[in-house]
């Protein structure tokens, strides 16, 4: 059983883009009803998140979240985090799937996000960061359980 409580984000410029699901009935307790989903479904969910970040699409991003996360990560929060990310890293231009990490319960995918940062008086800079997406089945339904820049 896994305890799902928080996601640690290493990249300070992206600290707002993180969240995870909790068992609201018993915070900090093991969530046992999760089972590992099929990779293709998990990858589609990850692709929707990275595409939404690149487009600045708060509705698409927040629409992918499980009910627990929707309470905490609203469209307003997305807009604030997206602006913070844009200011520090530049415009997000693409997200590429890199790898699926081995885990017995969850599907953890890692994505390479590419940004273009406009620098006054210089050629635009390309910057990259890693984005993690955690999915799993809860209550018989595939759900996004966590995400964040790492």
């Amino acid at each position: 059983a896994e305890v799902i409580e928080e996601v640690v984000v290493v990249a300070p410029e992206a600290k707002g883009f993180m969240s995870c699901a909790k068992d609201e009935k018993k915070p900090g307790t093991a969530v046992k009803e999760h089972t590992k989903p099929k990779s293709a479904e998990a990858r589609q969910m990850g692709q929707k998140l990275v595409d939404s970040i690149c487009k600045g699409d708060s509705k698409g991003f927040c629409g992918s979240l499980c009910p627990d996360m929707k309470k905490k990560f609203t469209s307003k929060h997305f807009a604030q985090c997206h602006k913070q990310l844009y200011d520090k890293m530049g415009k997000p231009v693409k997200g590429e799937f890199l790898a699926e990490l081995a885990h017995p319960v969850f599907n953890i995918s890692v994505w390479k996000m590419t940004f273009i940062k406009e620098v006054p008086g210089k050629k635009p800079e390309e910057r990259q960061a890693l984005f993690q997406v955690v999915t799993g089945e809860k209550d018989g339904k595939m759900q996004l359980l966590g995400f964040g820049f790492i």
Side-chain angles (χ1 to χ4, degrees):
E2 295 290 321
V3 175
I4 306 173
E5 201 158 340
E6 62 182 274
V7 174
V8 177
V9 175
V10 177
E13 64 276 356
K15 66 182 176 184
F17 267 110
M18 65 173 194
S19 190
C20 64
K22 288 185 182 180
D23 184 341
E24 294 296 332
K25 296 172 191 141
K26 297 178 186 175
T29 59
V31 180
K32 297 177 183 174
E33 65 269 26
H34 294 274
T35 57
K36 190 170 181 176
K38 295 178 184 174
S39 294
E41 293 174 277
R43 196 174 300 181
Q44 285 177 334
M45 292 181 87
Q47 187 68 58
K48 186 170 183 179
L49 286 184
V50 297
D51 288 348
S52 294
I53 291 171
C54 290
K55 294 175 186 173
D57 178 11
S58 64
K59 187 174 182 179
F61 191 92
C62 294
S64 299
L65 306 180
C66 72
D68 292 342
M69 282 195 279
K70 284 181 183 180
K71 294 175 190 172
K72 294 183 282 184
F73 201 92
T74 64
S75 289
K76 182 178 178 181
H77 190 200
F78 175 90
Q80 292 168 342
C81 294
H82 197 268
K83 182 185 180 325
Q84 178 187 26
L85 188 63
Y86 188 94
D87 291 346
K88 296 285 185 179
M89 295 292 290
K91 180 181 179 181
V93 293
K94 69 178 175 178
E96 297 175 64
F97 174 78
L98 287 182
E100 182 178 308
L101 305 180
H103 192 281
V105 179
F106 304 108
N107 188 292
I108 302 169
S109 58
V110 179
W111 301 76
K112 178 175 71 174
M113 298 290 299
T114 301
F115 303 84
I116 301 296
K117 177 75 173 174
E118 298 292 332
V119 181
K122 294 184 179 180
K123 185 177 175 182
E125 298 174 353
E126 183 177 279
R127 299 178 178 187
Q128 295 177 327
L130 297 177
F131 186 68
Q132 173 180 280
V133 177
V134 181
T135 56
E137 287 186 24
K138 183 176 179 184
D139 301 327
K141 182 180 176 190
M142 167 78 109
Q143 295 189 34
L144 174 66
L145 302 173
F147 60 86
F149 283 90
I150 52 176

